[in-house]
Amino acid sequence: MAGEGDSEPRKSFKLLGFLDVGTVPCSRESVLYGSVGSLVVGLGHFLATSRVRRSCDFAVGGFICTMLGYWFYCRYNLAQQRIRQRMIQEGMKNKLLFEGSSLDPEKKQMGNGGSDS
């Protein structure tokens, strides 16, 4: 009985019918931060003006701005992280490839340091 629940595919939440929040990177956090942003902006505007309809409009605008802002910030950081990861993987591959050969940069550095003294 307990094993049956593990084999089921995970149910996903689709925002606007096409954005799968569970699988698209940064989408879950963007929606969560957007909802908190809309709550803060809408409640703040309501407490300042006591106008319900206008506060709801500000809440929707706050949701959109916060969600898009965090989306771009998160995607930019994700792209930078992937670039750094690729550079590290290439460096590790080159280290294994050139280790012990005449093209090994560490061997050249150690050879120059020993001849200077």
Side-chain angles (χ1 to χ4, degrees):
M1 283 291 196
E4 291 177 9
D6 296 338
S7 63
E8 285 183 19
R10 225 171 58 168
K11 292 183 180 179
S12 63
F13 174 71
K14 291 195 177 201
L15 185 67
L16 301 174
F18 64 89
L19 179 64
D20 191 5
V21 176
T23 58
V24 177
C26 298
S27 62
R28 179 179 177 268
E29 292 86 6
S30 297
V31 171
L32 290 174
Y33 281 120
S35 61
V36 170
S38 71
L39 181 70
V40 168
V41 170
L43 190 61
H45 190 270
F46 177 74
L47 291 175
T49 63
S50 298
R51 297 170 75 189
V52 176
R53 175 150 176 120
R54 184 95 171 165
S55 297
C56 290
D57 293 341
F58 269 78
V60 170
F63 174 77
I64 293 171
C65 290
T66 308
M67 186 179 79
L68 288 177
Y70 188 76
W71 171 269
F72 288 122
Y73 170 75
C74 183
R75 294 296 286 201
Y76 178 74
N77 284 339
L78 185 65
Q80 280 186 334
Q81 181 182 5
R82 287 181 179 168
I83 289 170
R84 283 191 301 263
Q85 186 178 12
R86 260 188 252 124
M87 288 173 55
I88 290 171
Q89 285 176 345
E90 284 293 320
M92 289 172 60
K93 186 170 51 172
N94 288 340
K95 169 84 172 154
L96 291 174
L97 195 68
F98 296 129
E99 189 173 27
S101 70
S102 62
L103 300 173
D104 189 7
E106 287 183 12
K107 188 175 180 183
K108 288 180 183 177
Q109 289 174 356
M110 291 186 338
N112 290 341
S115 63
D116 289 339
S117 14

